[in-house]
Each structure stands twice: as structure tokens, then as C-alpha cells.
Amino acid sequence: MDPLKLIALDEEDLSVVSSLLQDAVLRVGDMTYVPSQKRFAAVLNRFDWEKAVTEGGKDFRRRRAALRFDRVFGAQLKNVKPRASERVLSLLAVRFEALEPPSGRVTLTFSGDASIQLQVECIEAELRDLGPAWRTHSKPAHPGDEPGAGSEPGAGSS
């Protein structure tokens, strides 16, 4: 699989990034907001849902990836303590809420009722794989993941 290198400039693009990052894990210490550069960045281990679904669910992989948002004017944390740098978070979704288009809020929602809300001038994000994939023995589980439920990301609905 070729490494991803995606740019998101609108809500549709951001929904693609969100689906690729569902169940990514990261340490709190692997995220930063740099106000002087108007940038938020994070390094994550993303689960390769596409391969898991197409390979019949037997070969699970993760890849190290970088997520960057530019034109960020503020960041609010909910249940995320910067000093707890070793705490591991599981990313559930990345969403955009327009305020005065093109500005708005990008929300990174994590399990455990944690989130980061970014005030952005507009959507300007990049997702880039940083290295090769590695095997992992487990697949992220979600409520309703019983066989045939079709609840996995990338699974078609009937």
C-alpha cells in the first residue's frame, strides 16, 4: 500500500480524513498547538480499515501518520490534560461546524468523552503517512460489531 498524502480543504475532504483516522491512537504528548504558527499537529497510529475490510478481516495493520491543521486561531480541550503526556487517546471522528463560512470549528472527538476543538479560519488540513505499516493482532471494536452488522468503517450498508 502506498503511503497516504491527503489535503483537506472542505467538509467533504475532512470527512474522508475522519474515516481514515477512525480508531487512530495517539499519546497526548504527540499533539501540539503552536499559536504563533496558527498550527495544530498530531502524530498518530492509524488503523488501516481499508485493508482490514478488503483482506477479509484477518490481516490487521497500523501506520504512523501525521495530521496537521493550519489557520488555527484557538484550541479548547475537554478531558485532555497536556501534562498527562503518556495518556493514550483513541480518535473517533473529526468534524467541522461552520460558523461564519469559511470559518468554523474542527472537533477531534476521542473515546472517554475527550475532545479538542479548534477555531479555524477555514479548513486547511493535511494527513500524511510517515512510514511503513506494521501488523497488529487486534482490530478496534465498536458496539454492534457482531458479524454481519456492517458497522465497520468502509462496510457498505444494505
Side-chain angles (χ1 to χ4, degrees):
M1 178 178 150
D2 292 330
L4 288 177
K5 183 178 177 185
L6 302 174
I7 301 291
L9 299 173
D10 60 26
E11 279 186 79
E12 188 176 336
D13 295 345
L14 196 59
S15 70
V16 171
V17 168
S18 180
S19 69
L20 292 167
L21 288 177
Q22 183 175 354
D23 299 307
V25 292
L26 70 156
R27 293 178 321 125
V28 169
D30 289 337
M31 299 184 287
T32 190
Y33 169 53
V34 184
S36 64
Q37 295 179 14
K38 298 181 176 127
R39 176 172 287 167
F40 172 85
V43 177
L44 325 92
N45 295 333
R46 71 176 185 86
F47 186 80
D48 187 348
W49 279 108
E50 182 179 300
K51 184 161 184 68
V53 171
T54 60
E55 297 290 322
K58 299 201 188 271
D59 188 19
F60 306 129
R61 297 184 180 272
R62 286 198 178 267
R63 290 187 92 129
R64 197 85 162 137
L67 175 64
R68 184 190 82 230
F69 286 92
D70 289 319
R71 299 176 184 246
V72 178
F73 292 100
Q76 292 181 313
L77 309 177
K78 178 183 174 189
N79 296 325
V80 176
K81 305 233 182 297
R83 291 187 180 183
S85 63
E86 294 300 315
R87 178 182 174 200
V88 175
L89 299 172
S90 178
L91 184 62
L92 301 176
V94 181
R95 293 197 171 83
F96 178 75
E97 176 189 351
L99 297 176
E100 290 184 33
S103 70
R105 286 188 283 251
V106 171
T107 303
L108 289 84
T109 304
F110 302 95
S111 61
D113 194 33
S115 65
I116 297 174
Q117 193 173 81
L118 306 174
Q119 303 295 325
V120 297
E121 179 183 343
C122 60
I123 297 172
E124 189 173 313
E126 178 184 20
L127 172 62
R128 178 190 302 238
D129 285 339
L130 299 176
W134 67 88
R135 288 179 192 245
T136 182
H137 296 288
S138 60
K139 176 179 91 169
H142 302 104
D145 266 358
E146 58 276 354
S151 62
E152 293 173 348
S157 59
S158 39

